[in-house]
Amino acid sequence: MWAFVTNPVEAGSCGPGVESVEASDATHFKARAKVGIGFINARFNLDGEMVSVTESEVAEVKAHGQAPGSAVDGTATMRLSDGPDGGTTMNWSADVNISGTLASLGARLIEGTANKMIGQTFVCMKTKLEA
Amino acid sequence: MADTGLKETPQTTEAVGGMGHSVKRKEDPRFIRGQGEYIDDLVLPGMLWLDIVRSPYAHATIKGIDASEALKIPGVLAVITGADLEKAGLHWMPTLAGDKQMVLPTDTVMYQSQEVCAVVATSRYIAADGVAAVLVDYEPLPVIVDPFKALEPDAFVLRPDRGPDKANNHIWHWESGDRAATDTAMEASEVRVSEDIYIPRIHVASIETCGCIADWNATRGQMTLHMTSQAPHAIRTVLALVSGLPEQNIRVKTHDIGGGFGGKVPVYPGYVLAVVASLTVGKPVKWIEDRSENLQADSFARDYHIHVELGATKAGKITSLKVKTVADHGYTDAAADPSKFPAGLFNVITGSYDFDNAFVEVDGVYTNKPPGGVAYRCSFRVTEAVHAIERMVDILAHDIGKDPAQLRMENFIQPDQFPYKTPTGWSYDSGDYPRALKKALDMIGYDDLRKEQLEKRAKGELMGIGISSFTEIVGAGPSHDFDILGIKMFDSCEIRVHPTGKVLARIGVQTQGQGHETTFAQIIAEELGFPVADIKIEYGDTDTAPYGLGTYASRSTPVAGAATAIAARKIRDKSRKIAAHLLEASEDDLEWTNGKFSVKGSPDKSKTIQEIAFAAYTNHPAGMEAGLEAVDYYDPPNLTFPFGSYICVVDIDRGTGQVTVRRFVAVDDCGNIINPMIVDGQIHGGLTMGFAPSLYEEISYDELGNNLAGTFMDYLLPTAVETPAWETGKTITPSPHHPIGAKGVGESATVGAPPAIANAVVDALWHLGVRNIDIPMTPQKIWAILNEKGVTA
């Protein structure tokens, strides 16, 4: 589980709209992601970094991405703990700043879209882990 | 010389069509047929397109710009960056307010959607593809969107370029009136009411966005700038100063303009970029904004945080007014205010009321927003002032339990007090405020409405009545006080009478829908007796039109209209000499009536103005120059002060918070009227643009500085469906100093309408404990109040 969430290619490819992920080194990666909010579609080029805050417990993904007229800067924190039935529980939080056209034109739709995308991300992770 | 008498009925025949006739607009046939020519209709041979890369961040360092992928796209010819402009010293330019703004940044962007670099390509679409392919490396910086936070001592400095002496975000402080006397009067007041009123940022949202075509002809050394501008001469001079091109080789030419409202006064970076691009590639270059660029990056209006306190006696006689305002100007002060008036004419805030003590102070502040403080059909802060005083008068009336109409009547400046000197220094030219309010009360049936309101309230229904008795201040302006970048705010007209008795007149102002081609012809028809059909009005070509400061702030009729009347009178003076020569009579024995000179006592011995025009070229007296033409640059002796009383009736839905304007009566007084139909049209349009920000429009920002109203889906313009049926009325009180007694009307209704609507909404909710609601009064905002008060249906 820890290996999976800290592997940018494995976990990163589950990110919202991610089309490709390429690891630059053990902790840095580049990704391309297509994000649509309402009628606006943008293809982001993302630079990311996986940070192990506390080995086997807390990991962070920091990402900075740009699309024409838009930008996204964010940090997602994943916290692993022992689950009730021998499994592993993941708690996550994310602090994301969206700037530019996507924020300006899609403001009213961002929260709903973001929740949907995050949900899809974890469904994807679950599927991969169970495979 | 002056002919300022009351003109309630036309003095000319309908065929001549002078003042007071509802002459059909001469410009309308081409608009109705879809044959207007707007800037984006114009395509020049070999023309290229320019599109702009804009910042996603409201504040960021630019670490690098990589245009290599963009330049690989076939058809992309060049990418212009701030570094390129810096080599020519063109990366900054002056604003009309004496501040400076970036054409393109070299290191830091200051607001979301700011211009970062420009792509020049062979088509509009390729240019857009090029924009999408430019990679800009940003390092985000902290953002300030709240002007009060910008003023905190530990706030970071947004404009370090101003030097170490100005290491803060405070732009200027401006004050007017007598602080000590006002404090004393306020302390002594039996009743004091105060309120914080915010007038939010709004955008003119003209249907035609901004744009230009810069056309550099290297062989001739000639720059022709086709553009959509309200002030083409000012643009020419600024362009000459910024670019170093000789001014005689710059021609600015406007075409039909699809709405100005002040948004087309400033010099935007896009214009300069098109000029630079054309100078670089030697071909015409077109730049046209799209809708979202227009809504996000063009200059904005309002954004005034007003703290206002009114002192009065228990009986409701106003004694004093004190105002402290924070003005959010965005990252640069790009307002088009006259140099001495950084807060415009905001100190007209004493309004229509007679009291001795007032003190007004305003502080301009920088934030991470696009330039604010420009215009929305009123550029000089009169809307903000009128809103504040009219809201406060209503609050005072409610607090002391007096009818708001009665309280106004008891505080009005009376007709015999004009010219009236206000405590902030203005000299109101003329007015009859009680007559206008009385007429509005009669038109709407005020007493019956108050009875109906009580009956409805007893049943739990929410109905409100709001009044606004505003005084406007327009016609900038007298040269001793008014200039922009040093250029005095005169305006001009040149009239040429052709041998066949047809007239060509050119004016220094610009029409963007007001109907100048008709009304200026009517002024000449009034003065000289030529039929309107024989008079052609031209404007907007700096190679031919006399120099003028342009059309904004309701200044066309007060200033250029006066110049037109005076130029016509110069022609009439010369015509008298020619007529005396033709009639073999003394000039003193001639009298002027209905377009002809006749010998006193022998009305059959006469010469028409057409006969005189022919003689000016064929049989002019010895010693006189041939021809019949005149020019006048008019320097107004004072501003003009249109006024009016508006009454609005609203019903509020308790279930949804929706405000419905049931009735709206507008009684306007703009002095003598040139064309009643056009005045009515101006008032209808102005009322709609007062209604819009009252209930719908607001440009808001999130904490990162993202503009949250970047499309017409989020920036809501009312359509004919939402707009109420306006009921208009008029009184006429001529301006005593204007040559034709006119005052200007373009902005009166935009200024006067919002407080009438706001007062009506608060009036409907006052019994629930509501004292003030800031505009726009959206259903969400009203519903939240109703919900808090426990009265949602």
Side-chain angles (χ1 to χ4, degrees), chain B residues 103-125:
Chain B
V103 178
L104 290 177
T106 50
D107 49 22
T108 310
V109 286
M110 298 295 289
Y111 63 91
Q112 184 245 318
S113 79
Q114 186 183 338
E115 299 82 357
V116 173
C117 60
V119 175
V120 183
T122 51
S123 84
R124 178 75 181 85
Y125 300 97

Side-chain angles (χ1 to χ4, degrees), chain B residues 10 139 183 238:
Chain B
E139 178 76 42
D183 282 342
V238 170

